[in-house]
Structure formats: C-alpha cells, structure tokens
Amino acid sequence: MFDAKAFVDDQIGKIGGTVRGKAIIACSGGVDSVVAAVIASKAIGDRLLAVYVDTGLMRKGETEEVRDMLMGLNVNFKILDAADEFFGSLKGIAEPEAKRKAIGERFIRCFEREAKAFGAKYLVQGTIAPDVIESGKDGKGLVKSHHNVGGIPKEMGLELVEPLIELYKDEVRQAARFLGVRESERQPFPGPGLAVRCLGEVTPESIGVVREACHIVEDEIRKASKAGTMGLPWQYFAALLPIRSVGVHNSERVYGRTVVIRAVLSKDGMTAKCAEIPFDILKKISSRITDEMGDRVNRVVFDVTDKPPATIEWE
Ligand code: XMP
C-alpha cells in the first residue's frame, strides 16, 4: 500500500539534503508538476522557482487557474508568456514526434533562460514512471516521447531532481490529496498541451478551435456527471483532425474540419478503455461544437478504441 505521508516526508528529506543552491521547476499546473513543486518548495522554500510557461497551447482558462493554485500553495512562481516563441518553433512541422521534440526543445530553451536569470543549479521535474517506460530506452519500445523525458542538454549544467520518478498516476494523486493540491476538476493533460490534440501542423487558429472543442467536451461531460447521467471518465477531450469534409452551414456548402470526441477509463494511463457516453450527451456536444464554431467545424465523430491498440491522445 502506498503511504503518501511517508513518501512526501522522505522526498522532502532527500531534496533538503541534496539541493544546496537554487532550483527551478517547470510547472504546467498538471498534478505531476504541482506535486513535485510543492514537495520541493517544502524542502527548500524560496530557493525554488516554479516557472509556468504559457505556451499558447494550454486549455481555456488554464493560465489563470494555475496562477491561483500556485498562489494558494505558497510556491514561489513566475508566469512566462512564450506563446509566440512556441508557435514560431512549430511552424511547418506536422509529424507528431517532430512536434513533440520541437516543443520539448523550446521548453528547455525557456528554462535555460529562466534558470540562468534565477541562478538555479538544479532542475526539478515531475516525471513519473509511465513517462519513462513509454519513452523507451535507446529508442527501443518508443511509443511517444513524453516531453518531460530526455532531450535535456548536458551543457545546461543543471542537476536533475525527479521526486516522482517511481510513482504511477494513482499514487501521484494520493500524494496530491495529502498535500492539499486541489484536483477535483482536473484531469491528466499532456505536457505538449493542445498541440498533440491538433493533428498535423499547429497554428494559433487551429489551437483556438481545439481549445474551444475541448472546453465544450469537458463542460458537457462534467454537467452530465453532476446530474448523475454518467460517471466522470478518467480523461475526456476533443482532438482536431487534419482532414476536411463537405458540409452545409447556413444553406451554403462548407469544406470544414472534423473534431473527434475522446473519453477513456483508466487507472494509470498505461492502458485504457473507451468510456461510454450516453448518445444524447454526444449529440449535445456535437451540436454545441458545430453551432459555436460557425463554419469552421462541420463534423463530429466519437473514438471508440481502447489503448492498446490506440493511445489515449491522438499524437
Ligand atoms: P497516451 O496518449 O500516451 O497518454 O496513451 C497516456 C497519458 O499520458 C498523457 N500524456 C502525456 N503526459 N507528457 C505528459 O506529461 C506528455 O508528453 C504526454 N503525452 C500524453 C495523456 O494525456 C494520458 O493521460
């Protein structure tokens, strides 16, 4: 049985004992990075700087929510507006692994700058066990390179601190509850953000579409769950497909986009089952997406695959 208190106490002791100077952490607001930040902050106080990078690839309202959360947890933090930089790095890149690498590298460059400015000697990361397993070793067994694993240039000169490296998601959640990290409305969210839910080349415009579609899916499924119509899936979101199909909007032919609804049941993200969504909820989501997006989206589909053979995200 996982003992959250013993785990947290142990990690605070270890970090307090090894981290001699300042440390920086990339805090996305996801449960992994917030738990790692709170543990490190309890160990070294304001010698830790949590940097939230606003990549322009985050969910609706997320930056504001993360700001409030970090303030409430008493973590020393900074919000960095880097959207233009990220869209610049992603220009012309459509292949999923290339996108992940470009985002990972841009992250590193941002941290490098912030770390230098802060005078950090250590980099704290919220890497968890499935990230390492799925990223594979020496290219073997690679499913997708989770962006908080690998690619950290040695010349950065920062020593890595990864307090959650042996934990699975459900254990991280237990630690979060113990630390008072508010997690009720939060679901797992990939490091590369909405970029992996927007298939093909990413632009500010396409990210805007998938951000709104994700918000609608989250909103309707939460409402249905609160009303007792369905249980809350482990993860539920929308992805934007890189194909166009013919439709009709205001009696005019449109050649619009397709949004896919994805909802899964899982314990740790390593395997997943497609979650059942009542048909009337699916129809409501579809109507809202097509109504609220004007002529930009004219088709909505539902992904019924499990993991394996699919993965949870589409890229
Ligand atoms: P996949 O798509 O690999 O996702 O089945 C498994 C779980 O991991 C999340 N995910 C990520 N999390 N960095 C992360 O921290 C990433 O690069 C990343 N990619 C996927 C995904 O949302 C799901 O919960």
Side-chain angles (χ1 to χ4, degrees):
M1 251 287 275
F2 177 69
D3 181 341
K5 182 182 183 317
F7 170 78
V8 167
D9 287 346
D10 184 45
Q11 290 301 325
I12 291 175
K14 276 188 184 146
I15 295 173
T18 51
V19 174
R20 286 285 155 246
K22 290 181 170 179
I24 191 168
I25 179 166
C27 199
S28 67
V31 65
D32 304 345
S33 61
V34 175
V35 167
V38 174
I39 290 175
S41 168
K42 283 186 186 296
I44 61 168
D46 281 358
R47 283 192 286 130
L48 176 79
L49 177 66
V51 177
Y52 171 86
V53 181
D54 185 353
T55 60
L57 306 168
M58 308 310 278
R59 286 167 290 188
K60 195 171 177 170
E62 191 152 23
T63 301
E64 297 73 21
E65 207 183 298
V66 173
R67 177 184 290 125
D68 292 350
M69 186 201 290
L70 291 174
M71 274 170 113
L73 290 166
N74 261 332
V75 173
N76 181 31
F77 75 96
K78 167 177 183 173
I79 306 244
L80 182 74
D81 178 1
D84 289 347
E85 267 186 67
F86 277 82
F87 283 117
S89 299
L90 285 164
K91 208 166 175 8
I93 303 180
E95 201 278 319
E97 276 303 302
K99 279 164 74 176
R100 283 177 171 267
K101 294 257 153 65
I103 292 168
E105 276 164 27
R106 180 50 50 200
F107 252 95
I108 302 298
R109 297 282 94 82
C110 287
F111 290 141
E112 215 165 23
R113 274 200 323 256
E114 294 305 317
K116 269 203 187 117
F118 186 58
K121 292 210 165 61
Y122 298 83
L123 180 67
V124 183
Q125 287 200 316
T127 317
I128 65 170
D131 298 344
V132 180
I133 295 161
E134 293 210 345
S135 286
K137 285 222 164 63
D138 306 324
K140 283 191 200 122
L142 177 75
V143 178
K144 44 182 96 167
S145 52
H146 283 218
H147 95 46
N148 41 2
V149 178
I152 295 159
K154 290 236 164 49
E155 63 270 23
M156 220 168 126
L158 294 179
E159 230 170 287
L160 208 54
V161 180
E162 295 181 306
L164 313 182
I165 194 99
E166 283 174 3
L167 300 196
Y168 283 83
K169 205 82 188 188
D170 54 328
E171 294 168 332
V172 179
R173 292 218 152 100
Q174 290 179 50
R177 276 196 292 277
F178 172 73
L179 290 165
V181 174
R182 196 169 23 89
E183 231 229 313
S184 53
E185 298 284 282
R186 284 207 156 268
Q187 48 168 327
F189 188 60
L194 295 173
V196 297
R197 295 180 179 174
C198 185
L199 279 73
E201 188 184 352
V202 160
T203 63
E205 193 267 337
S206 59
I207 288 292
V209 172
V210 80
R211 175 180 292 124
E212 205 50 43
C214 274
H215 169 68
I216 293 169
V217 170
E218 289 192 18
D219 189 41
E220 289 302 328
I221 289 185
R222 267 188 209 135
K223 278 199 286 201
S225 150
K226 277 195 183 123
T229 314
M230 61 180 285
L232 204 57
W234 193 72
Q235 211 171 350
Y236 43 102
F237 55 89
L240 184 66
L241 304 187
I243 51 161
R244 291 187 184 255
S245 70
V246 175
V248 185
H249 183 74
N250 288 340
S251 310
E252 298 273 339
R253 176 193 188 273
V254 290
Y255 192 43
R257 299 161 193 265
T258 298
V259 160
V260 57
I261 302 169
R262 181 81 164 133
V264 295
L265 304 174
S266 178
K267 200 160 180 275
D268 56 17
M270 297 291 283
T271 60
K273 291 267 173 224
C274 162
E276 282 186 32
I277 304 181
F279 193 65
D280 57 333
I281 308 293
L282 284 173
K283 289 291 288 177
K284 187 138 185 239
I285 292 170
S286 169
S287 302
R288 264 190 75 183
I289 289 175
T290 49
D291 289 351
E292 293 177 25
M293 303 277 177
D295 59 3
R296 289 184 296 171
V297 177
N298 62 335
R299 208 170 286 274
V300 177
V301 298
F302 181 46
D303 177 358
V304 295
T305 38
D306 298 334
K307 174 186 180 177
T311 53
I312 295 176
E313 304 289 346
W314 270 56
E315 282 190 343

